Amino acid sequence: MAVTRAMRSAAAHSLTDAQPVPFWLEDPGRPGAHPALAGDERCDLLVVGGGYSGLWTALLAKERDPARDVVLIEGKEIGWAASGRNGGFCAASLTHGLGNGLARWPDELPRLEKLGAANLDAIEAAVARYSLDCDFERTGEIDVATEPHQLDELHEMHEEAVGLGFEGLELLDGEAMRAEVDSPTFLGGLWDRRGVAMLHPAKLAWGLKRACLELGVRIYEHTPGLDLVSAGPGMAVRTPYGRIRARRVALGTNVFPSLVKRVRAYTVPVYDYALMTEPLSPAQLAAIGWKNRQGLGDSANQFHYFRITADHRILWGGYDAIYKYGGKVRAEYDDRPATYLKLAEHFFRCFPQLEGLRFSHAWGGAIDTCSRFSAFFGTAHGGKVAYAAGYTGLGVGATRFGADVMLDLLAGERTERTELEMVRKKPLPFPPEPVAWAGIGITKWALARADANGGRRNLWLKAMDRAGLGFDS
């Protein structure tokens, strides 16, 4: 559908009061930051990074060994980056969905699905055990078809899942889909009833921070790790006002440049953007349904993700995936009005019955994207350092699994996790500039063409598929 001048004007009007800050981080329950490290520290385990990856690592380390002395440092404040800016989709999948898992690890997929389900169960148990007030709702997620070829793809995916013995996936025809959430653009859907939970992402990070502190983790905020060097039998990390010596180090810095320099080529920062509406009125809620509060995502290459919050707002994000030449992470990239306008136009095309609704917040943030769309792992400095990165927008749930992998690797243990091909092998690295920028640009163009041409992938995308390379937000 072509965008008319009236449609664009209405979309622009809906954004005039939107604050360019993440909705989640404005919550009045946001805790104050802990002081920065000043002087020298020693510990058994140093965790670098105060997002989900680092927080889960610190928490699980104390659960495994309550006597272990754990320190966590964060360059700014706990949860301020991707962990406080995402859509709040906490998925069981460790492989960025069934399709990506089948393409990359078909022999391991049943085991990966089992481990992923157990990981989500463990997150749900931790929410209860530590009283994490994060609006956790295990409502599932629906992949929505908005084009006929997408409906065919969902049917094929359902058949493959059933053939592999997977349960909990329900196909919805157009009528059943619109009975769940009503949009004239919805042709059908595939509902994963148990594999995804909705939550308040920043509250999860803050709750994990509190749980870590209660178990004795020492947390220093506004304390970036500046360099990492061997120091006798352990490691040392220099910070602006001090230094930390640790027997072992776990790196959960994700999209930010790794302290192990050789890891940096495996990720690129891709900027993703989202809008949040004002709370819907009872009449507006009745107009769209959504009584079961699932997360939704359309099935295009350039896809949208959307969900409803505890206070009946709609978060609407995705579609644009912006890579800036040089692969830098910069605060000025967090705000992009051109994308906000595009997202608002798409929102009202999906939900025309919500005409007149306004957006209260608009924001962006960087995703640590890797070429296989799911996390990779490794060690450095003779096994004294472990890292996990490359979650590609699926880190709300998978970071807990990654924390377990890092702790297994640091302990030198052979476990079901460390024996996985997914853990043992890395994705292909991204090439240096200007090849990375040009390649990503061509791939984005090709993906948009595929969406417009019934999902048909051109020679470039087929070559990328054969090489095991991909680009996704």
Side-chain angles (χ1 to χ4, degrees):
M1 179 192 299
V3 177
T4 67
R5 183 176 299 179
M7 291 166 64
R8 176 151 295 189
S9 176
H13 184 71
S14 72
L15 290 163
T16 53
D17 295 325
Q19 301 177 58
V21 293
F23 167 79
W24 311 113
L25 295 177
E26 290 229 305
D27 193 277
R30 183 174 183 169
H34 278 227
L37 171 70
D40 290 349
E41 270 274 23
R42 289 180 178 270
C43 60
D44 296 323
L45 173 66
L46 171 62
V47 179
V48 181
Y52 298 139
S53 189
L55 291 164
W56 280 119
T57 303
L59 185 71
L60 294 176
K62 292 295 283 185
E63 288 185 347
R64 291 186 181 201
D65 180 3
R68 180 162 20 191
D69 188 20
V70 179
V71 168
L72 182 150
I73 61 172
E74 161 55 40
K76 292 192 178 181
E77 294 187 18
I78 296 295
W80 75 276
S83 297
R85 296 166 184 261
N86 63 82
F89 288 64
C90 185
S93 177
L94 304 174
T95 63
H96 213 283
L98 187 62
N100 193 51
L102 281 168
R104 299 182 187 279
W105 304 285
D107 296 336
E108 287 188 343
L109 189 59
R111 193 188 324 172
L112 287 164
E113 290 290 308
K114 183 191 76 172
L115 288 169
N119 183 65
L120 182 55
D121 288 344
I123 291 172
E124 186 170 22
V127 168
R129 182 165 64 256
Y130 294 107
S131 300
L132 305 180
D133 180 18
C134 61
D135 301 335
F136 187 96
E137 299 179 280
R138 198 157 174 175
T139 53
E141 180 181 8
I142 304 177
D143 289 332
V144 181
T146 58
E147 297 289 343
H149 75 271
Q150 296 169 10
L151 196 58
D152 294 337
E153 290 166 1
L154 292 183
H155 278 264
E156 292 172 10
M157 187 63 64
H158 183 254
E159 288 179 6
E160 288 187 286
V162 171
L164 290 168
F166 298 150
E167 299 178 349
L169 296 178
E170 179 182 348
L171 268 176
L172 305 174
D173 62 18
E175 183 179 355
M177 180 66 237
R178 290 188 294 274
E180 292 296 330
V181 185
D182 192 14
S183 166
T185 68
F186 292 172
L187 304 180
L190 182 60
W191 186 359
D192 181 353
R193 285 182 170 271
R194 291 285 299 165
V196 183
M198 297 291 106
L199 52 76
H200 186 304
K203 283 185 176 181
L204 175 62
W206 301 333
L208 289 172
K209 173 185 176 180
R210 175 182 55 77
C212 285
L213 291 168
E214 290 172 353
L215 293 184
V217 177
R218 301 196 302 286
I219 294 177
Y220 298 97
E221 296 177 75
H222 298 291
T223 303
L226 302 179
D227 58 41
L228 171 71
V229 296
S230 292
M235 301 298 300
V237 171
R238 182 171 60 88
T239 71
Y241 308 125
R243 186 178 67 160
I244 306 168
R245 295 174 69 106
R247 290 180 59 250
R248 297 289 184 268
V249 177
L251 300 178
T253 48
N254 297 307
V255 76
F256 298 98
S258 177
L259 292 178
V260 177
K261 292 183 180 179
R262 69 172 184 267
V263 176
R264 296 178 183 178
Y266 290 99
T267 62
V268 294
V270 173
Y271 278 80
D272 178 57
Y273 299 89
L275 306 176
M276 186 70 86
T277 72
E278 62 190 358
L280 273 64
S281 69
Q284 289 168 326
L285 285 169
I288 60 170
W290 218 338
K291 294 178 182 178
N292 289 315
R293 305 180 55 79
Q294 313 94 329
L296 275 74
D298 62 52
S299 301
N301 291 308
Q302 292 183 288
F303 64 93
H304 306 88
Y305 56 87
F306 39 118
R307 51 80 54 97
I308 197 160
T309 67
D311 61 346
H312 308 305
R313 301 170 183 264
I314 296 175
L315 177 142
W316 178 267
Y319 192 80
D320 271 350
I322 304 300
Y323 174 75
K324 296 288 188 176
Y325 185 91
K328 302 297 184 183
V329 179
R330 293 179 175 166
E332 58 262 36
Y333 299 158
D334 292 344
D335 189 38
R336 198 166 193 268
T339 293
Y340 302 153
L341 181 59
K342 189 183 300 181
L343 285 172
E345 292 168 1
H346 296 175
F347 177 88
F348 290 111
R349 186 184 306 166
C350 181
F351 293 121
Q353 64 269 52
L354 297 181
E355 181 182 357
L357 188 66
R358 299 175 68 84
F359 295 100
S360 62
H361 295 75
W363 72 93
I367 292 172
D368 60 327
T369 298
C370 77
S371 63
R372 72 182 191 193
F373 308 155
S374 54
F376 62 89
F377 313 89
T379 60
H381 293 277
K384 293 182 289 188
V385 176
Y387 55 83
Y391 290 95
T392 316
L394 209 74
V396 181
T399 44
R400 186 192 175 280
F401 175 82
D404 263 330
V405 171
M406 284 196 285
L407 292 172
D408 289 349
L409 294 173
L410 290 173
E413 297 175 351
R414 293 183 63 177
T415 67
E416 185 178 17
R417 289 179 288 263
T418 62
E419 292 297 295
L420 292 166
E421 181 185 352
M422 176 187 180
V423 171
R424 291 184 290 106
K425 296 184 179 180
K426 290 184 177 58
L428 291 172
F430 289 94
E433 298 293 14
V435 178
W437 179 81
I440 289 171
I442 294 169
T443 303
K444 287 182 61 179
W445 170 83
L447 290 170
R449 287 289 302 272
D451 283 337
N453 289 286
R456 291 184 290 275
R457 298 171 76 81
N458 64 13
L459 291 176
W460 175 266
L461 292 179
K462 290 177 180 177
M464 296 280 283
D465 293 340
R466 287 193 295 270
L469 283 166
F471 177 78
D472 190 67
S473 64

